[in-house]
Amino acid sequence: MLDYVQKWSTRTELPAKQLVRWIGLGTSKFYDWKQRYGRANEHNALVPRDHWLQAWEKDAILAFHAESACGGLEGYRRLTYLMMDQDVVAVSPATVYRVLRAHGCFERWNRPASGKGTGFGQPLAPHEHWHCDISYVNVCGTFYYLISVLDGASRYLVHWELRESMTEADVEVTLQRAREAFPEAIPFKLAPSRPTG
């Protein structure tokens, strides 16, 4: 388009601005094209920049962090200025932080493993794990509480009671009667669940 406008501008001796207006192209768009003419198209693309870190710089930061005087316990800002003083790499503290964080240098080594997100470990044998479930039941316009004790492995209904209240004592009575019904059972964990209704 730029070549086309310049060619016809010289042939007709009309200003390029007039031709651009006749074509229906915005003048700012035309001059943007003119300014970018001959350069690589950088629109919506990752183009390597002069200020981006090279691989050897990242390696130098990581190596300096590992070999620092306090065994990697220095703060990233202090490391930045120590690297500048020793002519290792000249980067900003934010860059040092990003490189160290991306390589897991701020993680604690002896962090306990978390069970979060792994789901519930399903019991494999009967009476290994009991669940207590409480839900509302409407009987002739009156609400009662259905307190039930379920076996975790077989989903067998161990015991249930319909109670007028949902106090701690009501739940304890229901659990005690479930234990009395199965005296040989030793559930390792009694885990009450949320009320449903």
Side-chain angles (χ1 to χ4, degrees):
M1 180 65 75
L2 186 64
D3 292 334
Y4 177 80
V5 170
Q6 288 175 344
K7 173 183 156 186
W8 285 103
S9 176
T10 54
R11 278 185 147 184
T12 60
E13 297 181 359
L14 290 171
K17 193 183 244 185
Q18 181 67 36
L19 290 174
V20 167
R21 224 177 300 139
W22 284 349
I23 293 171
L25 185 67
T27 53
S28 63
K29 178 60 77 179
F30 174 74
Y31 286 111
D32 283 346
W33 287 353
K34 190 174 180 180
Q35 190 176 12
R36 285 186 5 212
Y37 187 72
R39 284 199 258 159
N41 190 4
E42 299 178 1
H43 185 67
N44 289 339
L46 286 174
V47 178
R49 304 286 182 199
D50 293 339
H51 61 274
W52 284 1
L53 282 183
Q54 295 181 3
W56 71 267
E57 291 173 313
K58 291 180 185 178
D59 294 340
I61 292 170
L62 293 170
F64 191 83
H65 176 261
E67 297 167 3
S68 65
C70 295
L73 298 176
E74 295 282 351
Y76 69 93
R77 285 189 180 94
R78 183 167 167 77
L79 281 178
T80 303
Y81 297 113
L82 286 173
M83 284 189 289
M84 285 184 196
D85 291 344
Q86 297 177 22
D87 290 330
V88 177
V89 177
V91 292
S92 69
T95 302
V96 172
Y97 176 82
R98 280 194 300 271
V99 170
L100 294 177
R101 184 172 179 216
H103 288 83
C105 295
F106 296 134
E107 298 293 325
R108 294 180 186 264
W109 290 105
N110 296 323
R111 182 174 289 172
S114 171
K116 185 174 182 181
T118 58
F120 175 70
Q122 197 66 27
L124 302 175
H127 302 298
E128 192 175 281
H129 191 199
W130 286 357
H131 303 275
C132 185
D133 186 38
I134 304 169
S135 59
Y136 301 108
V137 177
N138 186 353
V139 179
C140 297
T142 304
F143 282 98
Y144 292 95
Y145 298 97
L146 175 65
I147 303 173
S148 55
V149 180
L150 299 166
D151 180 53
S154 64
R155 307 307 295 162
Y156 172 73
L157 186 59
V158 177
H159 185 72
W160 65 272
E161 289 192 17
L162 204 58
R163 310 287 287 198
E164 291 181 355
S165 63
M166 187 183 63
T167 63
E168 185 179 343
D170 291 319
V171 176
E172 285 177 357
V173 166
T174 306
L175 286 173
Q176 184 59 36
R177 289 188 180 155
R179 286 183 185 147
E180 289 170 1
F182 294 91
E184 75 284 351
I186 305 172
F188 295 138
K189 192 174 186 184
L190 295 169
S193 61
R194 282 181 262 155
T196 59

